[in-house]
Amino acid sequence: MKKFKVGIKLFGIDTFDINKQGNIQGDELIGRGWHKYLARHEKVEVADIYGAQDLMRADLDVVIHFNPFLELHPTAKNILYLQNAFPKETYPGGTVGVFEKIKDRFEGYIYTSERLKKFCGDGAVVEFATDPEFFNPQPGGKYNFPVSFVGNGIRSPDVNQRYIAPALPFGLVIYGNMWQPPLSQAWLGKLPMPDLPVLYSDCDINLNAHITQHAELDTINLRIYDILACGGFVLSDHVDSLVETFGDLVPITDGYEDEWAKISYYLSNAELRKKKAEEGRKLVLSHHSYEHRMKTVVKYLEEI
């Protein structure tokens, strides 16, 4: 049986370092999940993870790139995982425009949604997922907030005003950085990575708002899977595949007054929150872990 030697290449693999002042990057969180579960797969002999400047071993069969602009491996098959969202304001054509410019660099493609694949071309679809060995119920009482949001203020002001600001009257807390008034009044700084599952477990309502490109391309936010894996309750903005995947286990809000009303409703219905969170966790554990996703990745590697 052919076993693969696989490399995963990211822009940076040190954002978890507590001595660093920068933000934890979603790329690294996902990349390390892939690395961990690829290394356990019976058809993978070697799984390495590299930063942008790291020297890759010469005998790799394939390198999966989480960034489309980094140096390629000279002999391995180079595969692009198009999981970054490139804003149209900075990159003409957004994510699809970036793909059109760099697609000839790679010999295979992995996408985060069927819609993104439809716009770009042949390849595999590997949605975001979670690592249940890290993200699992860890209630500790340290973060017993009514409503929270974890992330940076990189979404457009309109998105923040529509989906985050309505929670302010309910005692919203925000962890991350780059937040501007009025949301900066709810900002409590950055959250230590080990505390993230504790927050998701403790908080009554965990808010989610997709960045515009992910919403347009029907990519479910990573945060959804992580919160549900912790047995947390999520209130999110709308993405088509989110409804198709989780049904009413993840309530959807249109923002503004609708969000205000739904926060009020679910805060007063603890048993309903608990039921949805428990069923959501079961669904994530049975279908949406990195172990499940790596089966798709290895199958695609076999095909190419």
Side-chain angles (χ1 to χ4, degrees):
M1 179 179 68
K2 167 68 175 176
K3 289 192 173 184
F4 298 104
K5 296 177 181 178
V6 183
I8 296 173
K9 190 164 186 177
L10 311 177
F11 188 82
I13 55 171
D14 59 355
T15 67
F16 289 7
D17 187 342
I18 61 174
N19 296 314
K20 299 280 186 179
Q21 296 301 310
N23 301 316
I24 291 175
Q25 297 297 315
D27 283 17
E28 183 175 1
L29 183 59
I30 299 165
R32 290 195 178 278
W34 280 44
H35 174 235
K36 178 179 180 179
Y37 288 92
L38 274 175
R40 298 179 183 180
H41 198 286
E42 62 179 3
K43 294 185 179 180
V44 175
E45 178 181 347
V46 171
D48 290 338
I49 190 166
Y50 302 98
Q53 305 303 321
D54 293 342
L55 181 65
M56 294 183 283
R57 60 186 288 166
D59 62 344
L60 292 174
D61 296 305
V62 60
V63 176
I64 302 171
H65 295 257
F66 278 50
N67 184 296
F69 305 116
L70 301 180
E71 184 178 354
L72 303 180
H73 192 286
T75 58
K77 286 187 178 293
N78 292 281
I79 309 299
L80 173 63
Y81 183 37
L82 191 60
Q83 52 81 40
N84 269 311
F86 296 93
K88 295 178 181 178
E89 298 81 8
T90 307
Y91 300 90
T95 304
V96 177
V98 168
F99 175 82
E100 288 298 323
K101 288 187 176 181
I102 53 80
K103 63 181 180 181
D104 293 339
R105 302 185 73 215
F106 299 94
E107 296 158 281
Y109 314 98
I110 302 174
Y111 307 105
T112 55
S113 71
E114 289 288 349
R115 186 177 298 171
L116 181 56
K117 176 183 174 181
K118 179 180 178 180
F119 281 125
C120 294
D122 290 340
V125 174
V126 179
E127 300 93 341
F128 293 143
T130 192
D131 178 2
E133 293 178 359
F134 181 81
F135 289 100
N136 52 69
Q138 299 176 39
K142 184 178 179 180
Y143 298 103
N144 284 337
F145 301 116
V147 192
S148 72
F149 181 82
V150 181
N152 301 317
I154 59 174
R155 291 152 190 80
S156 70
D158 290 343
V159 169
N160 288 338
Q161 185 65 28
R162 180 172 181 172
Y163 294 110
I164 310 298
L168 283 170
F170 297 94
L172 170 70
V173 297
I174 296 175
Y175 288 96
N177 68 4
M178 298 186 292
W179 290 96
Q180 303 298 320
L183 291 170
S184 57
Q185 66 183 277
W187 176 62
L188 297 182
K190 291 194 288 187
L191 188 72
M193 188 67 184
D195 283 11
L196 192 52
V198 183
L199 172 68
Y200 289 160
S201 303
D202 279 348
C203 189
D204 292 337
I205 297 177
N206 296 279
L207 288 183
N208 178 70
H210 292 81
I211 58 177
T212 302
Q213 281 277 291
H214 276 165
E216 290 177 352
L217 295 169
D218 204 29
T219 294
I220 300 174
N221 192 291
L222 174 65
R223 187 183 298 105
I224 298 285
Y225 302 102
D226 292 341
I227 294 170
L228 292 176
C230 294
F233 175 84
V234 191
L235 179 63
S236 178
D237 61 337
H238 180 271
V239 169
D240 290 343
S241 58
L242 177 59
V243 177
E244 294 164 5
T245 302
F246 293 106
D248 65 355
L249 299 180
V250 177
I252 301 299
T253 177
D254 194 40
Y256 300 127
E257 293 85 357
D258 176 75
E259 180 169 322
W260 189 95
K262 285 178 177 172
I263 291 174
S264 180
Y265 174 74
Y266 284 110
L267 284 178
S268 63
N269 285 273
E271 287 302 314
L272 181 57
R273 294 199 314 269
K274 180 180 179 182
K275 180 180 179 180
K276 289 183 181 294
E278 289 176 347
E279 292 300 316
R281 173 170 161 76
K282 290 177 184 177
L283 183 57
V284 165
L285 295 184
S286 61
H287 294 288
H288 303 292
S289 72
Y290 287 121
E291 182 177 6
H292 295 105
R293 299 293 191 255
M294 292 311 99
K295 293 176 182 178
T296 304
V297 170
V298 171
K299 182 180 179 182
Y300 181 60
L301 297 185
E302 289 179 309
E303 291 174 358
I304 65 171

